[in-house]
Amino acid sequence: MTESLSKPAPSGSTSGSTSGPTSGPTSGSMAGPISGALDLDAVRACFPAFTTETCANWAFFENAGGAYVPQAVIDRLTRFLTAAKVQPGAPYPASALATEMMAEGVRAMATLVNVAPEALVIGADTSTNLHVLANALAPLIEPGDEVVVTNLDHEANITPWRRLTRRGATVREWRFDPETGALSLDGLTALLTENTRLVCLPQASNITGAVCDAAAAVRLAHEAGALAVVDGVSHAPHALVDGSALDADAYAFSAYKVFGPHVGVLAVRPSLMARLENQNHMFLAGHGALTVNPGGPNHELTAALAGVTDYLDALYARHVGGEGEEDDGGAAPSARARVAALFALFERHQSALTGRLLAGLRDHPAVRIIGAPTVGPHRSPTVAFTHRRLSSRAVAEHLRGHRVAVRHGHFYAWRCMQALGLDPEDGVVRASLVHYTSAEDVDRLLAHLPA
Ligand SMILES: Cc1ncc(COP(=O)(O)O)c(C=O)c1O
């Protein structure tokens, strides 16, 4: 018998659970804010790419495509492949180490986005994770059910849900405003009906940079008795994610854009996980996250995920020095508190540089900025633009000639390009900044923009 997604009491209790991907992994002391600026030399010294032949002397702006990794990630990967490259789960030392290193990787991601480790699925990438999630959820959909998708998302968070029409679902499209590049909550409210079962949205756009009030959208979905799936891929590299506060039923991000190895991470509310159709071997039914992955996770890459928080911990220590490692009560800040303090620092740095980039683009007579032309909490550091005279392809090629790593195109946000009135193949030029981006990088891009 299939349990349908039919309504629980409509008052935000959709999941019927108080523990979401929710309940974060770490309690413990808060860390105070880190004063002063980000030590960019210290940051960049942690990333070997900056001194590697293929990357050195490039101003790298393709971070939204995939970020560089710190040495700490490489170290975890090397250690796993050297000392633990066996099947995990057995009691002999190499296997026990493999088990522990993989668990550390999962715990690191749980700390990063503040959810319980048991809620996490480690899959090939976000596209795969959302595809598998949609297949697992399909049996809960019935004819007449309605599914809300946007025209702003990367296609990874659209196609799998649109395919639910095969189950008789009706798709309702939540359209963004091409002027602002943003989705409005009013737009969502207008689409919600008593038949809405699912609302899928981005936390930030990978093109317009618009940051959605995802927590409010999740609340609206829940009040309508629907589930909410949030794609955090374009948000997680730039801002502190609080999966507990967000309260989405599923939250996806790509670790390889958050300075980790190439895997996708999906947090699923345990009570929803229990209702999904098992996608793995039949005897694994009921085994939580294992059921939302047709195979197993990549072992060495899962282990390497812990390098992300190793890096953040080292950077935290570097910034607070001997002071601030303990709070007033004498307790060391929790791992989550250290991540939060650092991300506040990253956000200040990114905000200053995004402001610098947007100001330069605004002053350029031939550039049209896509989305908000000003910096602020409504905008992430992913900046797309077109040129009034030249194709996006030509602008990107020109910039690469000056060692500015950008690309052009639709970046798989194909429907977004159409809504913006752009040819998806030529699309936009996209420059995305992260915390290791420097002012010199930004200035080089601006200096070499064709007139
Ligand atoms: C916003 C957004 N969502 C989803 C994806 C898909 O992620 P993955 O490459 O991990 O499948 C991307 C990839 O660029 C993205 O930018």
Side-chain angles (χ1 to χ4, degrees):
M1 284 264 292
T2 305
E3 185 191 10
S4 78
L5 284 184
S6 51
K7 310 286 177 173
S11 62
S13 59
T14 306
S15 60
S17 165
T18 50
S19 63
T22 72
S23 322
T26 48
S27 53
S29 292
M30 300 297 293
I34 300 173
S35 57
L38 184 68
D39 181 345
L40 198 59
D41 288 340
V43 165
R44 287 169 81 105
C46 295
F47 289 81
F50 287 114
T51 51
T52 306
E53 195 188 340
T54 47
C55 308
N57 302 318
W58 277 81
F60 184 63
F61 286 100
E62 250 290 279
N63 296 291
Y68 292 158
V69 295
Q71 182 63 43
V73 169
I74 300 166
D75 289 345
R76 286 270 179 174
L77 185 61
T78 304
R79 174 151 166 74
F80 188 94
L81 292 175
T82 308
K85 181 62 187 72
V86 297
Q87 191 67 11
Y92 56 91
S95 181
L97 179 61
T99 309
E100 178 50 25
M101 287 188 74
M102 289 175 68
E104 284 171 355
V106 174
R107 283 200 296 272
M109 293 300 99
T111 299
L112 193 69
V113 297
N114 203 29
V115 300
E118 302 73 41
L120 291 182
V121 177
I122 310 295
D125 50 33
T126 292
S127 304
T128 308
N129 283 345
L130 291 178
H131 176 86
V132 174
L133 179 66
N135 285 347
L137 198 136
L140 304 181
I141 295 289
E142 294 175 344
D145 287 352
E146 292 174 7
V147 171
V148 175
V149 294
T150 76
N151 64 343
L152 182 60
D153 273 275
H154 182 288
E155 197 63 24
N157 199 29
I158 301 176
T159 290
W161 309 116
R162 281 186 168 270
R163 289 197 179 121
L164 292 175
T165 52
R166 295 174 186 164
R167 302 278 313 171
T170 303
V171 169
R172 296 181 145 247
E173 193 174 67
W174 179 13
R175 297 190 180 141
F176 72 96
D177 176 349
E179 283 305 308
T180 62
L183 294 160
S184 82
L185 292 174
D186 286 347
L188 173 59
T189 304
L191 294 174
L192 296 171
T193 74
E194 60 176 20
N195 296 321
T196 312
R197 298 289 176 267
L198 195 57
V199 175
C200 307
L201 66 139
Q203 198 171 19
S205 160
N206 67 334
I207 301 294
T208 69
V211 175
C212 185
D213 187 349
V218 169
R219 259 195 317 277
L220 286 174
H222 285 177
E223 280 163 16
L227 297 169
V229 176
V230 177
D231 176 342
V233 173
S234 274
H235 193 65
H238 308 293
L240 184 71
V241 173
D242 188 342
S244 296
L246 183 60
D247 201 31
D249 300 281
Y251 181 82
F253 69 101
S254 301
Y256 72 91
K257 305 192 200 245
V258 195
F259 323 109
H262 201 111
V263 296
V265 183
L266 176 70
V268 182
R269 188 188 296 281
S271 61
L272 173 61
M273 192 122 70
R275 298 168 64 200
L276 297 174
E277 184 183 71
N278 176 26
Q279 302 297 299
N280 209 330
H281 311 310
M282 52 82 177
F283 49 82
L284 291 173
H287 280 70
L290 281 180
T291 65
V292 198
N293 193 339
N298 179 302
H299 296 176
E300 56 266 34
L301 299 184
T302 301
L305 289 169
V308 176
T309 47
D310 291 346
Y311 159 64
L312 295 175
D313 279 345
L315 202 58
Y316 179 84
R318 167 93 197 191
H319 280 80
V320 300
E323 304 157 31
E325 286 186 350
E326 295 187 347
D327 68 8
D328 294 344
S334 69
R336 172 68 185 171
R338 296 194 295 271
V339 169
L342 264 186
F343 265 85
L345 200 56
F346 292 174
E347 285 186 55
R348 285 208 299 275
H349 176 78
Q350 291 167 145
S351 177
L353 292 192
T354 306
R356 190 181 184 109
L357 176 60
L358 287 170
L361 293 176
R362 278 196 308 270
D363 285 348
H364 193 292
V367 162
R368 171 190 165 203
I369 298 172
I370 306 296
T374 52
V375 74
H378 57 286
R379 198 194 215 297
S380 77
T382 303
V383 178
F385 58 92
T386 55
H387 195 282
R388 295 189 206 287
R389 209 171 43 76
L390 298 171
S391 67
S392 294
R393 172 187 295 277
V395 174
E397 266 173 21
H398 178 85
L399 287 170
R400 286 195 297 269
H402 293 276
R403 289 183 168 260
V404 177
V406 290
R407 292 172 74 156
H408 78 285
H410 54 74
F411 301 96
Y412 286 21
W414 198 88
R415 295 168 206 268
C416 169
M417 293 300 142
Q418 286 218 312
L420 289 167
L422 298 172
D423 163 18
E425 290 315 314
D426 193 51
V428 296
V429 181
R430 186 178 71 177
S432 63
L433 290 64
V434 291
H435 72 282
Y436 55 59
T437 306
S438 69
E440 291 73 26
D441 291 337
V442 171
D443 291 347
R444 191 188 305 178
L445 187 157
L446 291 172
H448 294 291
L449 268 179

